[in-house]
Amino acid sequence: MSNASHHSLALLTKCKTLKTLKQIHASLVKTGLHSDPFFAGKLILHCAVTISDALQYAHRLFLHFPNPDIFMYNTLIRGFSESGIPRNSIFTFIDMRRKSMVPPDSFSFAFVLKAAANYGSFRAGIQLHSQALVYGFDTHLFVGTTLISMYGECGSVYFAKKVFEQMLDPNIVAWNAISTACFRCGDVKGAREMFDIMPFKNLTSSNVMLAGSGNVEMTRLVFESMPDRKSVVSWTSMIEGLAMHGYAEEAIQVFHEMEESGIRPDGVTFVSILYACSHGGLIEQGCSYFFKMKDVYDIEPTIEHYGCMVDLYGRAGYLQKAYDFVCKMPIPPNAIIWRTLLGACSIHGNIELAEQIKERLSKLEPYDSGDNVLLSNIYAVAGKWKDVASVRRSMADQKIKKTPGWSMIEVDRIMYSFVAGEKSNKTTAEAYEKLKEIMWRLRVEGGYVPEVTSVLHDLEEEEKEDSVSKHSEKLAVAFGISRLCKGTVIRIVKNLRICGDCHKVMKLISK
C-alpha cells in the first residue's frame, strides 16, 4: 500500500463529520483510489455506520460504484437497519438478490433481520426466514439468534421459541435472546422458566431479567439476588427498566445508590437517567445530570444524550429552549433529533417552529412520509385547512405515500394484523363487532368523546368519529378482548405513533 493510501486511510479513521469525509472522498478521486473496492468499501462503511448524518451520502456512493461487492451491500443494509428508515435495508437486500451475482452471507441476513425487527414487519421477517432456509443459514448461530430477536420484536414468542428449539448448540447469547423475546411478547412466566433452566448464566442474563415488559417487584428481586459487586451494566439495566416504565424517582434513587457503591456510571447509564427525567418531567434534575456527566465523570455527550435533552425540554413545553439547544449542539443534529422536536411541536401546537423544523428535516430526509403527516396534523388541529391541503399536494407531487398504520396482536400463538380501512374478512368482522360494543360502553360508562381535531374538515362530524374509530390499534385491542380470557394482558405492536384519540381510548379500556 502506497504512502497516499496509508495517509487516506488514516484520515478516514479519524474523520467525524460529513464535511471532512467529502474532502477525503475528493482526495481519493484525485488519486484514483475511489474506484478501488477496498477504499470504496471503507468510505461507504464510515458514512453508513460511523457518521450520524451521512447515510444518504453512503447510499449515493454505493449507487455510483459499478459492481458493489458483498461487503458494500452488507454495509448499506446494516446502515439502513440501524437508521430511522429500516425498510430501506430490506429494499437494499431485495436489490442485491435481484441485481447482484453475489449471494448473501450470514452478515446479510443478520443485518436485514434486524431491520425487519426495527421496522416491526412480521411479514418481511417470515420471508427473510424462508430465504435463510434456502441458503442454509437457519441453523447458523449468528443468524438464528437474530431470528429469535426479530420474532420477539414482532410480537411472536411462538416462532421465536421454534427457532430456538431448532438450534443445535445455543450459546449464552441465544439463551439471552429467547429470554428477551419472551419479555417483549409479554410472556414473563416463559422468560422466568428460560432463565431458570439456562445452563450457564452471566450478568447479561440477569440484566435481561431486569430489563423485562414493568414488574418492579420482580425486577428488584432479581437485582437484589445478584452478587454484591454489581457491574455498571447491571446498575444501568435496573435504571433503564425503571425509566422505561415511568418510575423516574425510583430510577434516580438507584442511580444515587450506584454512585454510593463506588461504581462509575458510563454513557449508557446517563442515557437511561436522562430518559427517566424526560418522561418524568424532571427538568432541573435532567439538566443537572447532563452537566454532571461531563463535569464530574468526563464523559463527552453523544447524539443520544443530546436527543434526551431535546426530548426533556420538548415534552415540558420549552420548545424555543429545545430549538436553541439543538442549534448550539457541537455535533450536527440528525433527523431523529429534529423529529423529536417536531413531535413536541405537535403536542404543544407550535406551528411556526414546526415549519422551521420541517424545513430542516426536508434537507436530511426529504421523502419521509411521517414528517409530512405530522406537520399536516399540526395544521389540522389549528384549523389551517389550506395548509393541510398544501402539505398533501406536496406529498402527491413528490410521490410520497403515507405509510399505512398497522397493528398486530398474538392470540393463541397466531399473529393477527389489522390495517385501518382494509377489506372486511372473518377476523376484521369479529373485531369491528366487538369494537362497536366497546365504543358504546366507553360513551355510556366512561364519558368518552371522540377527539377529531386532526381529521379532515370536509367530513361531517359523524364521519370524523367513524374515521378515528377504525384505527388499527382499536381493532387489534377489540379483537384481543373478544378472544382472550378476562384478566389477560393485551399487548399491541404497531408501526406508527399512536393518535390522541386512540391514546384516550386505551386509557379508558384499561380502567
Side-chain angles (χ1 to χ4, degrees):
M1 193 179 283
S2 66
N3 289 336
S5 303
H6 277 295
H7 181 64
S8 297
L9 200 59
L11 286 174
L12 191 59
T13 305
K14 296 177 182 177
C15 174
K16 293 183 179 179
T17 66
L18 181 57
K19 183 179 179 182
T20 307
L21 188 135
K22 287 180 178 179
Q23 293 172 342
I24 296 169
H25 184 201
S27 173
L28 290 172
V29 171
K30 285 182 181 179
T31 57
L33 290 172
H34 70 294
S35 59
D36 186 307
F38 175 79
F39 282 97
K42 287 286 185 182
L43 202 62
I44 293 169
L45 176 66
H46 212 71
C47 291
V49 177
T50 308
I51 300 177
S52 61
D53 60 338
L55 183 56
Q56 294 302 327
Y57 194 75
H59 192 204
R60 289 199 295 273
L61 289 173
F62 175 85
L63 292 175
H64 282 90
F65 199 84
N67 294 300
D69 58 23
I70 189 65
F71 178 81
M72 295 179 192
Y73 269 110
N74 286 348
T75 298
L76 199 62
I77 291 168
R78 177 187 173 187
F80 279 128
S81 76
E82 296 171 353
S83 74
I85 41 175
R87 64 183 181 277
N88 284 6
S89 176
I90 300 170
F91 295 152
T92 304
F93 180 86
I94 294 169
D95 189 64
M96 178 178 74
R97 295 295 304 112
R98 285 177 178 169
K99 297 180 181 177
S100 174
M101 297 297 291
V102 180
D105 60 13
S106 60
F107 290 101
S108 312
F109 281 105
F111 294 144
V112 77
L113 283 167
K114 183 177 180 182
N118 290 340
Y119 189 39
S121 178
F122 180 74
R123 184 178 296 176
I126 285 280
Q127 292 172 334
L128 289 167
H129 190 175
S130 301
Q131 286 280 302
L133 284 164
V134 170
Y135 284 93
F137 286 116
D138 56 304
T139 57
H140 190 284
L141 190 60
F142 187 27
V143 176
T145 303
T146 315
L147 276 167
I148 292 168
S149 299
M150 181 274 293
Y151 282 125
E153 288 283 355
C154 291
S156 177
V157 71
Y158 173 76
F159 283 106
K161 285 181 177 178
K162 280 291 183 186
V163 173
F164 182 76
E165 288 164 5
Q166 291 169 7
M167 295 181 79
L168 301 176
D169 188 21
N171 62 5
I172 187 65
V173 180
W175 278 96
N176 290 335
I178 189 62
S179 297
T180 304
C182 289
F183 272 129
R184 284 170 183 156
C185 299
D187 186 8
V188 179
K189 184 181 177 183
R192 184 76 218 193
E193 288 172 356
M194 287 292 177
F195 182 73
D196 290 339
I197 64 173
M198 201 177 287
F200 28 68
K201 299 181 179 72
N202 63 3
L203 281 171
T204 305
S205 314
S206 298
N207 293 334
V208 167
M209 293 298 293
L210 292 178
S213 276
N215 190 327
V216 179
E217 290 181 8
M218 181 183 283
T219 305
R220 277 285 184 187
L221 188 65
V222 174
F223 185 70
E224 289 168 3
S225 68
M226 293 173 70
D228 291 338
R229 187 68 178 173
K230 300 177 181 72
S231 71
V232 64
V233 178
S234 305
W235 284 101
T236 301
S237 296
M238 183 69 194
I239 294 166
E240 182 183 12
L242 291 167
M244 283 177 64
H245 296 98
Y247 297 96
E249 297 287 355
E250 290 88 339
I252 289 171
Q253 178 60 38
V254 172
F255 181 83
H256 290 158
E257 290 173 15
M258 176 185 183
E259 288 184 306
E260 289 167 7
S261 73
I263 297 294
R264 181 184 176 87
D266 61 12
V268 181
T269 314
F270 277 101
V271 169
S272 299
I273 199 66
L274 288 172
Y275 180 94
C277 292
S278 171
H279 285 252
L282 306 174
I283 311 297
E284 291 183 12
Q285 292 95 321
C287 293
S288 172
Y289 288 124
F290 181 78
F291 292 113
K292 187 176 189 177
M293 176 173 61
K294 188 169 184 180
D295 296 343
V296 176
Y297 292 103
D298 198 31
I299 298 172
E300 196 66 35
T302 64
I303 196 77
E304 289 80 11
H305 299 111
Y306 287 110
C308 286
M309 289 301 292
V310 172
D311 193 46
L312 179 79
Y313 289 130
R315 282 177 182 270
Y318 298 119
L319 300 179
Q320 191 59 49
K321 199 166 188 175
Y323 182 80
D324 294 340
F325 181 87
V326 174
C327 292
K328 292 175 183 176
M329 281 171 53
I331 54 179
N334 60 15
I336 296 172
I337 294 283
W338 288 116
R339 200 163 286 131
T340 299
L341 193 48
L342 184 62
C345 289
S346 174
I347 293 168
H348 298 287
N350 190 320
I351 296 174
E352 185 179 340
L353 193 56
E355 290 172 334
Q356 294 179 49
I357 295 164
K358 178 60 179 67
E359 192 174 331
R360 301 258 191 174
L361 278 166
S362 296
K363 293 176 182 176
L364 292 172
E365 293 183 4
Y367 303 109
D368 189 281
S369 64
D371 300 334
N372 288 280
V373 171
L374 199 54
L375 183 62
S376 172
N377 289 345
I378 293 170
Y379 285 138
V381 171
K384 301 187 74 171
W385 299 108
K386 287 184 179 179
D387 292 315
V388 171
S390 176
V391 171
R392 302 207 173 205
R393 271 198 309 272
S394 175
M395 289 176 69
D397 292 343
Q398 297 177 72
K399 297 182 179 178
I400 301 174
K401 292 184 178 179
K402 180 181 177 182
T403 305
W406 55 256
S407 297
M408 298 177 74
I409 183 171
E410 184 177 1
V411 178
D412 297 327
R413 297 185 173 181
I414 299 173
M415 293 298 299
Y416 294 90
S417 180
F418 295 91
V419 179
E422 67 181 342
K423 290 182 180 178
S424 182
N425 53 44
K426 187 177 179 181
T427 302
T428 57
E430 182 180 342
Y432 276 118
E433 191 62 32
K434 190 65 178 179
L435 185 59
K436 284 181 185 177
E437 176 193 325
I438 292 168
M439 300 307 284
W440 180 83
R441 284 190 61 189
L442 291 184
R443 287 174 184 272
V444 174
E445 299 173 24
Y448 164 70
V449 177
E451 189 174 303
V452 296
T453 48
S454 63
V455 181
L456 289 175
H457 74 300
D458 53 357
L459 298 176
E460 295 295 330
E461 200 66 25
E462 190 174 326
E463 291 178 295
K464 291 181 182 181
E465 293 182 11
D466 186 57
S467 172
V468 296
S469 75
K470 292 178 180 176
H471 284 184
S472 62
E473 52 267 60
K474 290 192 180 84
L475 291 170
V477 79
F479 185 74
I481 292 172
S482 174
R483 289 286 184 98
L484 295 172
C485 300
K486 187 176 181 180
T488 305
V489 175
I490 294 176
R491 285 183 174 84
I492 309 297
V493 178
K494 69 178 276 84
N495 66 329
L496 299 177
R497 182 195 299 263
I498 191 169
C499 77
D501 186 71
C502 286
H503 189 257
K504 181 194 291 185
V505 167
M506 295 302 167
K507 287 195 294 183
L508 289 170
I509 289 173
S510 298
K511 287 181 181 179

